[in-house]
Amino acid sequence: MKTVTLRCIFCLEPNPVNLNEGCDERLCTKCSKPFLMDRPFRINQEDFKMTVLDSKLPVLVDFYADWCGPCKMVNPIIDDIARLRQGELIVGKIDADRAQDLMLEIEVTSVPTLILFMNGIEVSRSVGLEPQKIKEMAESAIEKEFPHG
Ligand SMILES: [Zn+2]
């Protein structure tokens, strides 16, 4: 099963979300509000293992900061990826100013940095504003997940 644990954006309850169930509405088990799967999720460093490393789906993580101009230019790119690859890939955003310990641990030294994780392992990384590379990373995740032929 392709499951990922995501926090409800309304009540913050962690929910295991099964993405094999088609694209029907998914509701929070606690507050019954919908999970919106067509956009990036916010992830904090405490949830990194639960949401990113333990995910059964590829996760593209965007380390950003509110004060960083190039980070804002990454947003429309990853919004598109989240919308177009809904159910195939999770896009997560991590506020770098609140994830210092995590960044030290996985050696993220600048923003924007985007890392693709599959099965808990980093498979590729983009540092700085690299729109083409970000798109290629998302494509490669899906090709590996669903090999052709
Ligand atoms: Zn909820």
Side-chain angles (χ1 to χ4, degrees):
M1 284 204 303
K2 299 202 176 301
T3 56
V4 59
T5 305
L6 297 167
R7 263 187 213 281
C8 172
I9 58 168
F10 301 103
C11 72
L12 301 181
E13 176 76 3
N15 276 246
V17 178
N18 177 3
L19 293 155
N20 285 346
E21 289 168 0
C23 285
D24 322 298
E25 218 180 25
R26 290 177 188 81
L27 302 179
C28 174
T29 54
K30 191 172 174 192
C31 73
S32 300
K33 292 212 172 88
F35 270 85
L36 304 170
M37 303 300 296
D38 62 344
R39 61 200 70 187
F41 276 84
R42 291 189 184 280
I43 300 170
N44 60 37
Q45 64 179 359
E46 290 73 25
D47 293 349
F48 185 75
K49 181 180 186 305
M50 170 181 88
T51 299
V52 178
L53 299 184
D54 292 346
S55 172
K56 298 289 183 283
L57 274 181
V59 185
L60 181 64
V61 181
D62 170 30
F63 288 88
Y64 75 98
D66 288 331
W67 42 261
C68 153
C71 294
K72 293 183 174 58
M73 297 164 76
V74 168
N75 286 335
I77 303 165
I78 61 172
D79 286 352
D80 273 357
I81 292 171
R83 184 167 44 84
L84 298 170
R85 300 303 182 184
Q86 192 180 158
E88 298 174 300
L89 171 80
I90 298 293
V91 180
K93 290 175 65 72
I94 297 186
D95 183 347
D97 290 330
R98 298 179 182 193
Q100 299 295 324
D101 296 342
L102 172 64
M103 288 167 64
L104 201 61
E105 193 180 316
I106 63 174
E107 297 175 351
V108 174
T109 54
S110 63
V111 286
T113 291
L114 287 96
I115 307 180
L116 175 66
F117 288 89
M118 292 175 72
N119 299 315
I121 296 165
E122 173 176 343
V123 294
S124 53
R125 180 182 291 218
S126 157
V127 180
L129 183 62
E130 299 183 306
Q132 193 54 39
K133 180 153 185 195
I134 295 166
K135 289 174 196 163
E136 285 167 9
M137 285 164 67
E139 290 298 323
S140 77
I142 290 153
E143 280 165 21
K144 282 175 193 163
E145 194 65 12
F146 299 107
H148 299 293

